[in-house]
Each structure stands twice: as C-alpha cells, then as structure tokens.
Amino acid sequence: MITVAEVQALIQQRITPLTARESVPLGQALGLVCASNIVSEIDIPPHANSAMDGFAVAAADLATQSTLAVSQRIPAGVAPAPLVRGTAARIFTGGEIPAGADAVVIQENCDYDEERVTVLQSVSPGANIRPQGQDIAQGAIVVTQGKRLNAIDLSLLASVGRAELDVFRPLRVAILSTGDELVDPGQPLKPGQIYNSNRVLLACLCRQMGYQVIETRCVADTLAHTTSALLDAAASADVILSSGGVSVGEEDHVRPAVEATGELELWKVQMKPGKPVAFGRVADTPFLGLPGNPVSAFVVFQLLATVLLRARQGQTSTSLVAMKVVADFSRPVTTREDYLRVQLVSTANGQTVARPFANMSSGVMSSLSWADGLVRQPIDQAINVGDTVDFLPIREAML
C-alpha cells in the first residue's frame, strides 16, 4: 500500500491534460477552465478618478489660498476639461480627474456652494485619487491558464472588456456502479438489495465540478459484463469512475477487467476509509475505481478523484487545501491515514473546535450530511484533545 500523498503525486505524473478547447461567451464560462492566459488590453481604471465626493484641486494652490472658484462639475461618466489653475472642480465618486488636478478634497472638509468652495483642511498630492491602472495595468495577466472560472474571475474579465474566451472542453466522465445488489431509487427492494446512492453521488459531484456525465450504468457482477462496460466507456469518455468491485472477493471483477483491457497501477491505498482503490487506464482512458461503501466513495473522490479530474481537465490547482483546527476529541494511534468526519463548533470560551461524528463506519452516509469536513489523522500518530490537526472542508462539495 502507498500513502494518499504518493497516490496524488502518481496521478499527477500519469495524467495527460486534454488540449481540446472551445470559445464561449463570457456568461457561459462559469465553472469552465481557462485555456490560455488572458491579458488586459486596457488599464483599470482607464483613467485616474475620484475615490470620494468632493473637489478636485491642484494641491499647491491651497498653499496660498483656501477659497477657490468652482470652475466645472464632473460626475462619473463625463470627460472633464483641464482644470483652470486657482480653481476647483466639483467632482463625484468615480469622476475622471481633470488634467491639472492632483488631489481631491472630500466635501466634508469644505464649505461650498455652486460657485465657490472654502477648503477647511489642506491635502497632499494624490489624496483621494484612484490612479489609472491601480487595479489592473494594461498588459497584465487577468486570469491564468488552468484556472477554473468563478464569478469573480468573470467579473474581472468583463471589467477589461472581454466578451468571450477560450476554455478547455469540459471533461466527459463515465460512471459505472458494480454490484448485483444495487437497485435504482424508485424500484421495489428485494431481499439482499440496496438502493444505488453512489451513482447519484458521483454524477452530482462531477457536474458540480463542471464536467459532463455521459454515462451512468450498473454493471452485473461478472468479469464479462465488467470488461464490456469498461471498454464501452473508454470509447467515449475522457475519464472513467467506478464504485464497488475493487476489493479481492470472488465477485470483485474490476481489477482483472482493468488489467485485461489496459493497465492497473495500484489497487490499495493506506487510508481509512477507502483502502481498496484501483487506478490505471482502460485502453487509453484514465480509470479510477472507488470503494463501494458510500462514505469511502466520497472520501476517495475528494482526495483522489478530484486530483485526477482536475489534472485531466488542465487545471493548475488539483487538491483540497487543509486548514488548521483544534481537536475536541482523542483517537489512538492508527496504522492508516484516517479521515474523520467532524463538525466545527464554538465552545463556551469562543474557541472553534472539531468534534467527530459518533459513528465512523464507512457505510453511514448521514455522517457526511452532518459534517463540515474531515480531520486527517496521520499514520502512527494519536490525536489528543487540544491538538492542532489538519481539517479538509467538504461542505462546499455537498452544496
């Protein structure tokens, strides 16, 4: 068995990003991955403007006089005339600074009417002015290649005038569920059967990441059916995910099927939950086999499948980022890297601590609905109350 970090590194080494790209309107790019560095063709702001309502002045004029004639009025969106020396321009937030002015006196520090202003407090050059290009300079990279585009990214692109952009074509993901015991929701349950929750889980997680789920199928527990389903998926998918069938039982056919149709690089990871994991390829399509227990499937998806999918999509950021929290529980030494479902709660003294779910069974899916995230317990280390531990937020993944 190898560690989670080693598997993540192996996946990143083995996965070749897709290069297919398409041009999309800005409003349709949410959640897609930018296919090239996007450079601003303009400065933002495009001209120096006022940060406050007040009066634009030449600061040096105030050294000899405090009362100035008001020579013009500059609301936002109006091109001003050059400032006449010895005068002030009435200006509003966002208004363009006229040539000849180098400061803005805020209106609260003035006595004024429509014709004259008396400045009650002097200002230095640059006061209350947003310089041209303060936010984004012409020629600066606004969004980098490999960035998954969020609302803020799209707002930035709109601010520099981009109406469309090149993105990587969204991944096509095939999802297979193995097990004769699985029944689709809505169907009657016979003895020994359970409803297939993993197919819904994995499909929804992939769609939340911006990918296209092109196939979801239940696969009968035979080597022939498993092999056929994998080859069918490889013919049209960019990535294949499966759940179940990756252990070593007589009815677990994923491992031999992958070995027969491609290459299996690993099938055990030193983690809990989620020890049985299969990574490799079917024909030339990357494959990841997740455990069948629902909590295990979710944890492996967050820690390993996301790395594979993001790397295949061409994203530069591929892994969950851990935060530091304080443990409000104790756990003995573990021989596998353990991922514990926890909630963050505030104590009476105002400290935020992590408290675990009562039942850490890998079949208790309700624990994930309850949890804010996972606490990582390293191999061969105990956790004691008050210890600082790694916390992986997963609440966003379940929205």
Side-chain angles (χ1 to χ4, degrees):
M1 287 192 292
I2 65 175
T3 66
V4 170
E6 289 170 334
V7 178
Q8 291 171 335
L10 175 65
I11 289 172
Q12 291 171 328
Q13 292 168 5
R14 295 290 192 268
I15 294 301
T16 301
L18 293 182
T19 57
R21 59 182 66 192
E22 55 194 25
S23 183
V24 299
L26 187 68
Q28 297 177 19
L30 183 65
L32 302 181
V33 176
C34 188
S36 61
N37 289 343
I38 299 179
V39 175
S40 176
E41 297 179 358
I42 61 173
D43 288 324
I44 299 296
H47 46 70
N49 68 82
S50 179
M52 306 288 286
D53 291 342
F55 294 86
V57 299
D61 289 346
L62 298 178
T64 58
Q65 53 187 326
S66 60
T67 299
L68 306 172
V70 177
S71 56
Q72 61 179 309
R73 186 176 185 274
I74 311 172
V78 171
L83 181 70
V84 177
R85 287 300 300 266
T87 71
R90 180 69 165 121
I91 197 167
F92 299 90
T93 302
E96 182 176 347
I97 302 297
D102 61 7
V104 172
V105 184
I106 63 174
Q107 63 187 21
E108 290 85 350
N109 292 335
C110 300
D111 284 335
Y112 59 93
D113 56 30
E114 292 184 359
E115 296 182 353
R116 293 191 173 276
V117 57
T118 299
V119 177
L120 306 177
Q121 182 176 321
S122 63
V123 291
S124 300
N128 303 309
I129 290 178
R130 301 178 181 130
Q132 179 176 338
Q134 179 186 52
D135 185 8
I136 301 170
Q138 183 179 17
I141 295 174
V142 182
V143 177
T144 57
Q145 178 179 327
K147 177 75 163 60
R148 187 184 179 205
L149 297 160
N150 58 36
I152 295 173
D153 299 324
L154 299 183
S155 176
L156 275 176
L157 293 172
S159 76
V160 299
R162 290 300 294 256
E164 59 182 32
L165 64 154
D166 287 342
V167 296
F168 290 121
R169 173 182 59 75
L171 287 183
R172 297 183 297 243
V173 183
I175 297 172
L176 307 178
S177 303
T178 67
D180 290 338
E181 76 279 12
L182 299 178
V183 178
D184 286 335
Q187 302 299 313
L189 283 179
K190 297 178 182 178
Q193 293 182 327
I194 59 172
Y195 287 120
N196 185 359
S197 62
N198 282 350
R199 181 164 64 172
V200 175
L201 172 72
L202 299 179
C204 290
L205 289 171
C206 286
R207 291 188 181 108
Q208 283 182 334
M209 294 179 71
Y211 309 137
Q212 296 177 359
V213 177
I214 62 170
E215 178 181 8
T216 61
R217 183 193 305 189
C218 283
V219 182
D221 275 331
T222 70
L223 180 58
H225 280 97
T226 304
T227 302
S228 176
L230 287 171
L231 289 173
D232 287 347
S236 56
D238 301 311
V239 173
I240 303 169
L241 301 179
S242 73
S243 64
V246 291
S247 193
V248 292
E250 292 182 6
E251 299 300 321
D252 294 318
H253 302 292
V254 170
R255 180 183 178 186
V258 173
E259 290 174 328
T261 57
E263 180 183 11
L264 186 70
E265 298 219 31
L266 68 90
W267 64 285
K268 284 185 180 181
V269 182
Q270 200 169 0
M271 64 184 293
K272 179 182 179 181
K275 174 182 171 183
V277 177
F279 169 64
R281 58 178 177 82
V282 176
D284 292 322
T285 303
F287 166 83
L288 187 70
L290 288 70
N293 282 323
V295 175
S296 300
F298 179 84
V299 171
V300 171
F301 185 93
Q302 292 301 319
L303 296 173
L304 303 180
T306 55
V307 176
L308 187 159
L309 293 165
R310 289 168 178 158
R312 185 72 163 144
Q313 182 68 92
Q315 287 182 246
T316 51
S317 176
T318 59
S319 300
L320 285 174
V321 178
M323 302 164 51
K324 296 295 184 181
V325 300
V326 175
D328 194 38
F329 61 94
S330 297
R331 296 272 295 185
V333 169
T334 178
T335 57
R336 285 188 278 162
E337 196 168 281
D338 209 344
Y339 290 86
L340 311 169
R341 285 140 274 166
V342 302
Q343 271 189 352
L344 300 183
V345 298
S346 296
T347 62
N349 63 7
Q351 184 182 42
T352 299
V353 298
R355 288 183 180 166
F357 194 72
N359 187 340
M360 287 292 169
S361 168
S362 59
V364 182
M365 191 65 172
S366 57
S367 64
L368 289 175
S369 179
W370 170 89
D372 293 314
L374 307 171
V375 160
R376 177 168 54 205
Q377 182 179 5
I379 298 169
D380 296 331
Q381 290 187 26
I383 294 177
N384 297 303
V385 173
D387 285 351
T388 299
V389 291
D390 287 340
F391 171 81
L392 298 170
I394 59 173
R395 178 66 63 187
E396 295 82 358
M398 296 183 286
L399 292 176

